[in-house]
Amino acid sequence: MNPLRELGKWIEEAREEGIAQPASVAFVTVGSDGRPSVRTVTLKRLEDDALVFTTALWTRKAQEVEANPHVALLFHWPQLGRQAHLTGTASQADRSLAEELFDERDLVNQLQTVVSRQGEPIDDLEPLRDRLAHLATVQETVPVCPTDWGALRVRVESIELWTESDDRLHDRRLYSRDGEGWSLTLLSP
Ligand SMILES: Cc1cc2nc3c(=O)[nH]c(=O)nc-3n(C[C@H](O)[C@H](O)[C@H](O)COP(=O)(O)O)c2cc1C
């Protein structure tokens, strides 16, 4: 099986298990100074060879991907005793996909994108809250996707699917990209 399909199955099983935010994932980028940074994002699309997230394009993660496309990701579902480690190369997805994903956001998330310059220093949250509340009241049309908001696509180069075992001999399956397919290496726990 394509390991990304298996990843999709794991996310679905986490959802069925009632795990909160089953598609949230730690996303590690590295800036031009060689220093890593990490934050949580939410998987929006799982493609045959890639993961897609949405983000404002002025943010640290998006800027760092511009400078250095090499990224790492970590899913962890403790209740299932599973984790998935991924590496890949990230790039900005097409504008059309960004617009499609923006349209899928609910109104308050769309407005949040417009109201808040995520990551910029502020003195106070209240003016943002006031503006959000105001827009939520007066907004008559659906907001359009801002030009500096978009989606990142991570083409996966490797994925390790890790399953906990009671005897501590955990199952570690490392899939590495091999041409159009994947090669599988079992790793010692
Ligand atoms: C569960 C969860 C899901 C999140 N999903 C996203 C997301 O999909 N995209 C995003 O830009 N930020 C998301 N965030 C906020 C980020 O973790 C982060 O604070 C923000 O993107 C700024 O990151 P940066 O300044 O390092 O680029 C999420 C946070 C949490 C706790």
Side-chain angles (χ1 to χ4, degrees):
M1 188 199 273
N2 176 335
L4 293 190
R5 296 230 176 93
E6 188 159 359
L7 175 68
K9 208 163 139 262
W10 280 17
I11 293 169
E12 269 325 298
E13 286 168 5
R15 201 182 306 281
E16 284 160 20
E17 194 66 24
I19 292 174
Q21 312 275 12
S24 67
V25 53
F27 180 45
V28 181
T29 54
V30 179
S32 50
D33 59 1
R35 291 171 191 250
S37 66
V38 63
R39 76 289 294 155
T40 312
V41 293
T42 308
L43 180 68
K44 294 288 169 17
R45 291 278 166 91
L46 186 55
E47 301 177 345
D48 268 354
D49 65 347
L51 276 58
V52 177
F53 313 96
T54 55
T55 185
L57 300 175
W58 64 81
T59 53
R60 179 172 183 175
K61 70 180 98 43
Q63 296 297 317
E64 292 195 341
V65 160
E66 285 280 310
N68 178 348
H70 299 292
V71 300
L73 301 112
L74 172 66
F75 292 88
H76 181 207
W77 306 276
Q79 296 92 324
L80 297 178
R82 285 175 172 167
Q83 58 173 337
H85 301 197
L86 296 92
T87 63
T89 46
S91 57
Q92 234 183 77
D94 290 348
R95 179 81 193 147
S96 57
L97 179 59
E99 288 172 355
E100 198 179 314
L101 293 170
F102 187 82
D103 289 346
E104 286 176 12
R105 286 164 82 82
D106 57 32
L107 181 65
V108 75
N109 282 320
Q110 290 176 333
L111 292 176
Q112 184 262 355
T113 303
V114 175
V115 161
S116 164
R117 295 293 293 179
Q118 193 178 51
E120 288 190 354
I122 51 169
D123 293 327
D124 190 357
L125 265 179
E126 280 318 304
L128 301 186
R129 288 217 166 96
D130 291 347
R131 185 151 157 68
L132 184 65
H134 174 71
L135 286 181
T137 326
V138 300
Q139 188 84 31
E140 284 174 1
T141 53
V142 178
V144 284
C145 179
T147 52
D148 51 6
W149 189 91
L152 295 177
R153 172 179 280 115
V154 176
R155 184 175 187 275
V156 177
E157 284 162 359
S158 74
I159 170 166
E160 180 189 333
L161 296 171
W162 185 103
T163 307
E164 189 172 19
S165 173
D166 286 344
D167 64 3
R168 314 315 291 160
L169 295 179
H170 315 302
D171 182 46
R172 295 182 62 187
R173 282 176 291 136
L174 174 64
Y175 294 86
S176 305
R177 194 168 277 288
D178 187 5
E180 289 303 297
W182 298 90
S183 67
L184 169 62
T185 312
L186 204 57
L187 301 178
S188 173

